[in-house]
């Protein structure tokens, strides 16, 4: 009996069971799958460089090693820059801690005088919070140890993926029926272009946001402006949520180092302007991914990725969903799921919008053909 003739409750049960099994697998194998996922994305990004180097008549082994060396130099440059900034921040850390403790005492006195929460009660609440976070600290230490393993595993995975890419592609073509070979080629090509477009655009966007953040904080006189500007740009790479978290760091620094609240309000205003520029100009024009994911799905998948794989899952969630959408759009039974993930607007919905909210070419063309 064809799959479409099965009752809905049977098909929905199978889908639900498959999602549960997939979630269980992703959660329990995250230490293995996380570095492999990062390595796959890096390998896709380095593949054009490897092909270009091979055209210079260099052997494949030399091309892969040279491409990975160039990427390593760039990454080490960023790490060196951040480490020098963090070292300068560490020199002022004792003074900042002293000022923070002074502000904390003022805050405790304010809670006691205005809300009647005694100092002893506040200390008790803080101790309870610290006790409940011990498990989180242990998890964080485990994550830190896992990161060290990832640092050594990712280069090995990247090299092997680039070295065996022909075998992997040949397997993907042969594992499906011959009549689907054209669809397989289309999916692989679109996946490669989508990931390259998204990741390269994301890096360019992060560089521009880092410059804008740093410039705004320097103008406002915030200490360690460049460090917080770059960290804010890195956090901004986490869709929708990272930009909110990035505001807290310079606001806290201004609270500790400056009197009053004017600087904090100006920081929030400056970051709001930067976010407006980023969301309305940089992302549409620079992060020009071939796949458009709607905002609701983006937020949900980032939160789910964080719950499954932590911060790594937040970074990997959007490329992963982009790949799923490419596959869904090319399989007839899964096309409704592709539309659900996407941000495309149907022709009927587009015509309902006022002409000033439509693209210029569209509204002009419609006026010309109107009887």
């Amino acid at each position: 009996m064809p799959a479409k003739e099965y009752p809905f409750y049977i098909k929905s049960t199978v889908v639900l069971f498959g999602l549960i099994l997939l979630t269980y697998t992703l959660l329990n194998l995250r230490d293995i799958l996380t570095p492999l996922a990062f390595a796959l994305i890096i390998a896709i990004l380095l593949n054009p460089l490897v092909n270009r180097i091979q055209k210079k008549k260099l052997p494949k082994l030399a091309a892969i090693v040279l491409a990975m060396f160039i990427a390593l130099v760039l990454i080490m440059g960023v790490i060196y820059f951040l480490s020098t900034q963090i070292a300068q921040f560490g020199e002022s850390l004792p003074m900042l801690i002293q000022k923070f403790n002074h502000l904390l005492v003022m805050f405790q006195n304010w809670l006691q005088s205005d809300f009647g929460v005694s100092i002893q009660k506040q200390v008790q609440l803080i101790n309870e919070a610290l006790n409940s976070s011990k498990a989180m600290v242990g998890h964080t230490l485990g994550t830190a140890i896992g990161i060290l393993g990832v640092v050594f595993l990712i280069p090995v995975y990247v090299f092997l993926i680039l070295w065996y890419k022909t075998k992997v592609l040949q397997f993907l073509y042969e594992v499906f029926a011959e009549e689907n070979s054209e669809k397989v080629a289309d999916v692989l090509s679109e996946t490669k272009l989508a990931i390259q477009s998204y990741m390269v655009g994301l890096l360019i966007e992060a560089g521009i946001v880092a410059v804008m953040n740093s410039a705004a904080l320097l103008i406002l006189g915030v200490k360690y402006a460049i460090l917080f500007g770059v960290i804010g740009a890195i956090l901004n790479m986490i869709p929708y949520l990272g930009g909110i978290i990035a505001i807290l760091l310079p606001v806290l620094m201004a609270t500790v180092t400056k009197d009053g609240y004017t600087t904090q309000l100006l920081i929030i205003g400056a970051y709001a302007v930067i976010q407006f520029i980023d969301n309305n100009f940089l992302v549409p024009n620079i992060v020009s991914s071939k796949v458009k994911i709607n905002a609701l799905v983006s937020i949900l998948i980032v939160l789910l990725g964080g719950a499954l794989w932590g911060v790594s899952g937040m970074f990997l969630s959007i490329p992963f969903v982009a790949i799923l959408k490419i596959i869904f759009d090319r399989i007839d039974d899964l096309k409704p799921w592709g539309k659900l993930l996407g941000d495309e607007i149907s022709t009927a919905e587009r015509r309902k919008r006022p002409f000033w909210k439509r693209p210029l070419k569209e509204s002009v063309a419609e006026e010309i053909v109107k009887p």
Side-chain angles (χ1 to χ4, degrees):
M1 183 165 61
K4 289 188 178 180
E5 296 182 9
Y6 284 117
F8 173 77
Y9 64 87
I10 293 181
K11 292 192 291 184
S12 59
T13 302
V14 172
V15 171
L16 183 61
F17 178 76
L19 290 175
I20 294 172
L21 183 61
L22 176 63
T23 303
Y24 179 82
T25 304
L26 292 176
L27 183 61
N28 287 273
L29 298 180
R30 60 182 176 185
D31 292 337
I32 298 174
L33 296 177
T34 300
L36 186 61
F38 275 113
L40 181 61
I41 291 177
I42 294 172
I44 292 174
L45 290 174
L46 291 180
N47 186 57
L49 180 59
V50 172
N51 293 336
R52 184 171 296 182
I53 295 174
Q54 280 190 276
K55 290 180 181 178
K56 305 294 183 182
K57 307 301 182 183
L58 283 177
K60 184 177 181 179
L61 177 62
I64 295 174
V65 172
L66 182 57
M68 292 182 63
F69 177 76
I70 293 172
L72 181 62
V73 169
L74 293 175
I75 293 172
M76 292 304 296
V78 174
I79 292 175
Y80 174 76
F81 170 76
L82 289 176
S83 62
T84 55
Q85 296 291 315
I86 293 173
Q88 295 177 9
F89 176 76
E91 295 175 359
S92 303
L93 192 58
M95 181 193 69
L96 296 175
I97 291 175
Q98 183 180 359
K99 182 66 180 295
F100 179 78
N101 289 334
H102 176 68
L103 292 174
L104 181 60
V105 171
M106 293 176 59
F107 180 70
Q108 288 177 330
N109 293 331
W110 174 70
L111 286 178
Q112 184 177 19
S113 61
D114 288 14
F115 295 94
V117 182
S118 64
I119 301 294
Q120 291 78 10
K121 182 64 176 178
Q122 295 178 39
V123 172
Q124 180 184 350
L125 293 174
I126 292 173
N127 289 333
E128 290 176 357
L130 291 175
N131 291 331
S132 64
S133 64
K134 285 182 179 178
M136 185 182 298
V137 172
H139 175 71
T140 303
L141 291 176
T143 303
I145 296 172
I147 289 174
L148 293 176
V150 167
V151 169
F152 293 103
L153 281 175
I154 287 180
V156 175
Y157 285 153
V158 171
F159 177 83
L160 293 176
I161 291 172
L162 290 172
W163 182 257
Y164 291 113
K165 66 178 181 181
T166 304
K167 288 184 177 293
V168 174
L169 292 175
Q170 185 178 0
F171 165 77
L172 292 175
Y173 281 116
E174 292 181 357
V175 78
F176 294 99
E178 186 175 350
E179 58 268 19
N180 295 323
S181 60
E182 187 175 346
K183 283 187 177 181
V184 173
D186 192 20
V187 167
L188 292 175
S189 176
E190 286 292 328
T191 300
K192 180 183 70 174
L193 290 176
I195 293 178
Q196 288 175 351
S197 173
Y198 177 78
M199 295 306 298
V200 172
L202 199 63
L203 293 174
I204 296 173
E205 177 212 6
I208 297 174
V209 171
V211 171
M212 291 193 296
N213 288 347
S214 302
L217 295 177
L218 284 171
I219 292 172
L220 295 175
V222 179
K223 296 190 68 174
Y224 311 107
I226 297 177
L227 174 63
F228 290 126
V230 174
I231 292 176
I234 294 173
L235 290 172
N236 191 59
M237 295 171 71
I238 301 175
Y240 301 101
L241 302 177
I244 298 174
I245 301 172
I247 300 177
L248 298 177
L249 296 175
V251 167
L252 287 174
M253 176 57 67
T255 303
V256 173
T257 57
K258 291 180 176 291
D259 297 326
Y261 301 99
T262 304
T263 304
Q264 291 90 321
L265 294 175
L266 291 174
I267 291 172
I268 295 173
Y271 270 60
V273 172
I274 292 171
Q275 285 295 309
F276 176 81
I277 295 172
D278 181 38
N279 295 329
N280 292 278
F281 297 98
L282 298 183
V283 172
N285 294 295
I286 296 178
V287 189
S288 54
S289 176
K290 297 285 184 181
V291 181
K292 305 292 185 183
I293 307 297
N294 69 68
L296 176 61
V297 171
S298 298
I299 294 174
L300 288 176
I301 201 65
V302 167
L303 293 175
L304 290 173
L308 287 173
W309 288 2
V311 177
S312 300
M314 290 183 173
F315 282 103
L316 292 168
S317 56
I318 298 298
F320 176 73
V321 173
I323 293 172
L324 285 182
K325 187 179 186 308
I326 291 170
I327 297 172
F328 291 166
D329 286 343
R330 282 152 183 81
I331 299 177
D332 292 337
D333 293 337
L334 298 177
K335 282 184 178 180
W337 293 94
K339 292 180 180 178
L340 177 65
L341 297 177
D343 197 25
E344 298 86 357
I345 300 176
S346 66
T347 304
E349 291 175 335
R350 192 180 292 116
R351 286 177 177 173
K352 290 179 182 178
R353 292 183 298 173
F355 72 90
W356 61 84
K357 291 187 178 180
R358 306 180 205 168
L360 180 61
K361 292 181 181 179
E362 177 188 314
S363 55
V364 170
E366 190 169 307
E367 289 297 324
I368 291 175
V369 299
K370 186 186 294 183

